[in-house]
């Protein structure tokens, strides 16, 4: 049993681990705020490597593991608000899938300039395509955008920007064409109706029944 004791009320208690006379790591208890490591408070247990990684293993050193049974983990913050809290100017969380073809394995979630983004990223992690963007003002979401690809509801093979396999109930429907054609298409029956006293109108152009021109 090794017992280490510090009699000073605010003194750090630590072991200085050296290789060939050079300090490589510290293990200790902080004696005060930001002692041994930035962000610590008095009584914190500190593991600090000078230049290398800190690894934890439970299988004879074959694989690095770390399990935290309770509490919150902060990366870039000393006051994590949840089980995992990542904080930086442009925080980023990456999901990597193995056993896939080139440039198909990385997904990330990032925030920048108050916009949350979901992206598909290439293997070199230098090119990405946004599939989700969410903008906010305070706790109010200003918009949710899917910048690329098609959205399918009830189908995994959407052929248009929005494809719904099933019934849709909408309180207001607005379709606006610019230089391209906007279409509302049903593969079986298309029923457009309003409540009593409501109106269906076409603001510009012509309406064809049984004809496309």
């Amino acid at each position: 049993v090794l017992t280490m004791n510090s009699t000073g009320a605010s003194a750090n208690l630590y072991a200085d681990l050296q290789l060939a006379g050079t300090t490589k790591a510290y293990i200790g208890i902080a004696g005060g705020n930001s002692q041994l490591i930035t962000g610590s408070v008095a009584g914190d247990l500190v593991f600090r490597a000078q230049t290398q990684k800190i690894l934890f293993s439970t299988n004879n050193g074959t694989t690095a593991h770390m399990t935290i049974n309770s509490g919150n983990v902060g990366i870039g913050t000393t006051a994590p608000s949840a089980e995992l809290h990542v904080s930086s100017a442009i925080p980023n969380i990456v999901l990597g899938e193995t056993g896939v073809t080139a440039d198909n394995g990385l997904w990330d979630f990032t925030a920048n300039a108050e916009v949350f983004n979901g992206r598909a990223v290439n293997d070199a992690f230098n090119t990405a395509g946004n599939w989700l963007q969410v903008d906010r003002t305070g706790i109010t979401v200003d918009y949710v955008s899917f910048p690329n690809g098609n959205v399918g509801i009830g189908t995994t093979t959407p052929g248009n920007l929005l494809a719904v396999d099933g019934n849709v109930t909408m309180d207001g429907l607005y379709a606006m064409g610019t230089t391209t054609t906007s279409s509302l298409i049903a593969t079986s029956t298309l029923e457009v109706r309003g409540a009593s006293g409501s109106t269906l109108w076409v603001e510009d152009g012509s309406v064809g029944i049984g004809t496309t021109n």
Side-chain angles (χ1 to χ4, degrees):
V1 176
L2 172 63
T3 300
M4 300 176 65
N5 181 44
S6 175
T7 58
S10 60
N12 296 317
L13 175 65
Y14 63 92
D16 183 346
L17 307 181
Q18 299 185 3
L19 284 177
T22 301
T23 297
K24 296 296 183 180
Y26 293 100
I27 301 175
I29 298 175
N33 293 343
S34 293
Q35 297 296 308
L36 296 179
I37 189 170
T38 302
S40 66
V41 297
D44 280 353
L45 176 62
V46 175
F47 294 85
R48 170 181 151 187
Q50 294 295 81
T51 57
Q52 300 299 109
K53 298 174 289 186
I54 298 177
L55 304 178
F56 298 84
S57 178
T58 58
N59 57 351
N60 297 320
T62 303
T63 307
H65 293 280
M66 183 175 182
T67 300
I68 299 176
N69 291 324
S70 62
N72 299 334
V73 175
I75 300 176
T77 175
T78 58
S81 302
E83 285 84 358
L84 176 61
H85 184 163
V86 180
S87 180
S88 70
I90 306 177
N92 188 285
I93 296 177
V94 178
L95 303 178
E97 182 182 3
T98 61
V100 297
T101 56
D103 292 330
N104 278 283
L106 292 184
W107 304 82
D108 79 349
F109 297 95
T110 184
N112 187 15
E114 301 175 0
V115 177
F116 176 78
N117 299 281
R119 309 188 305 171
V121 191
N122 69 339
D123 292 343
F125 207 75
N126 56 20
T127 303
N130 280 20
W131 60 270
L132 172 66
Q133 286 185 332
V134 183
D135 192 19
R136 64 184 289 180
T137 301
I139 60 172
T140 300
V141 174
D142 296 321
Y143 69 79
V144 177
S145 173
F146 299 95
N148 299 289
N150 298 334
V151 176
I153 300 176
T155 175
T156 58
T157 57
N160 294 288
L161 291 177
L162 175 62
V164 180
D165 186 359
N167 298 326
V168 178
T169 301
M170 291 176 284
D171 183 11
L173 171 63
Y174 182 66
M176 180 179 67
T178 52
T179 57
T180 59
T181 301
S182 294
S183 301
L184 182 61
I185 302 171
T187 57
S188 55
T189 300
L190 174 62
E191 180 180 353
V192 180
R193 61 180 177 177
S196 176
S198 61
T199 304
L200 172 65
W201 77 91
V202 177
E203 184 172 333
D204 295 298
S206 303
V207 176
I209 300 176
T211 179
T212 60
N213 56 9

